[in-house]
Amino acid sequence: MDHTEIIKALGTFLAVMNPFLSLPVFLAMTAGFSAGQQRALAFKVTVYSAIMCLIILLAGQKIIGFFGITIDQFRVAGGIVLAQISWSMLNGSTITSHQGSDHEQAQAQNLSGLAFYPLTFPLVIGPGTIATTIIYTGPGSSVTDMMEIGGIIAGILLILFITLFFAAAIGRVMSETMRTITTRLMGMILLAISVGMVIAGLKATFPGLEH
């Protein structure tokens, strides 16, 4: 990928895996936990997220191929999912596709698998992240492209780990206004990228649209 594509991919993954968007949910679900417990949970969430991303990177294409879905069809569907997520970010609404419903989150607090659900899936690795990963590693992607995408994801997961590891301290410093501004900005960037995905997918699926 050229530098423009790398920057676009970085912006997309940063928006859909936004560590600071996960922060308030993490703090709410670990209320009453000790700092040690929060940090252990942060480590597990990061490891689970890395494993899921690796699986998607290596097998994502085969999975959609098994269901007879083309990458362009998936690009349109993924763009729509990203648009829904970005619209929620712009309007300050709860992103249920990534965060789960209130009922699901309440149930998860009573489960031993809190680190995986809902903190890893679907909060960090949700439909948007899965769709974006598969789209950027579609047919024609070289080993170098795969490594570049893997490097971008690894960098964001490192930011996620640091954010969640120091969640209590960051939560005290980062004001609600700052969180809101960051979320709105990422939402606008993500919406623009998702529109591009849908248009590219439609043009490839229906060649006549270009004329």
Side-chain angles (χ1 to χ4, degrees):
M1 295 188 296
D2 57 27
H3 292 298
T4 303
E5 284 298 316
I6 291 175
I7 292 173
K8 185 186 291 187
L10 176 60
T12 306
F13 279 105
L14 189 58
V16 296
M17 298 174 68
N18 193 338
F20 293 104
L21 198 61
S22 305
L23 180 61
V25 179
F26 182 84
L27 288 172
M29 301 198 76
T30 57
F33 284 28
S34 67
Q37 288 174 317
Q38 284 184 324
R39 290 175 177 179
L41 195 58
F43 177 76
K44 290 181 179 179
V45 169
T46 305
V47 171
Y48 291 157
S49 298
I51 292 172
M52 283 197 68
C53 285
L54 182 60
I55 292 173
I56 298 167
L57 271 171
L58 298 178
Q61 295 297 321
K62 293 180 180 179
I63 292 172
I64 66 171
F66 176 79
F67 290 101
I69 303 171
T70 68
I71 188 62
D72 293 310
Q73 292 170 341
F74 200 84
R75 183 175 281 112
V76 174
I80 293 172
V81 170
L82 292 180
Q84 183 267 326
I85 292 172
S86 60
W87 191 256
S88 297
M89 292 169 70
L90 282 170
N91 288 280
S93 306
T94 300
I95 307 172
T96 53
S97 62
H98 260 251
Q99 298 176 5
S101 65
D102 293 337
H103 175 65
E104 289 173 332
Q105 289 188 28
Q107 280 189 320
Q109 292 185 11
N110 300 320
L111 301 177
S112 60
L114 178 62
F116 180 77
Y117 179 87
L119 293 178
T120 296
F121 179 82
L123 182 59
V124 178
I125 312 299
T129 307
I130 294 171
T132 303
T133 304
I134 293 176
I135 288 169
Y136 273 103
T137 55
S141 297
S142 64
V143 175
T144 302
D145 292 336
M146 298 278 284
M147 291 178 65
E148 288 173 341
I149 293 298
I152 290 172
I153 293 174
I156 295 174
L157 289 179
L158 177 59
I159 297 173
L160 174 73
F161 174 69
I162 294 172
T163 302
L164 299 186
F165 191 82
F166 297 104
I170 295 174
R172 289 193 295 268
V173 174
M174 192 174 184
S175 66
E176 189 63 35
T177 300
M178 190 181 298
R179 295 179 193 174
T180 301
I181 292 173
T182 302
T183 300
R184 297 291 196 280
L185 179 59
M186 286 296 179
M188 193 65 193
I189 293 172
L190 185 59
L191 182 58
I193 292 172
S194 65
V195 169
M197 285 184 177
V198 172
I199 292 174
L202 287 174
K203 284 183 176 179
T205 305
F206 304 102
L209 293 177
E210 293 193 62
H211 303 289

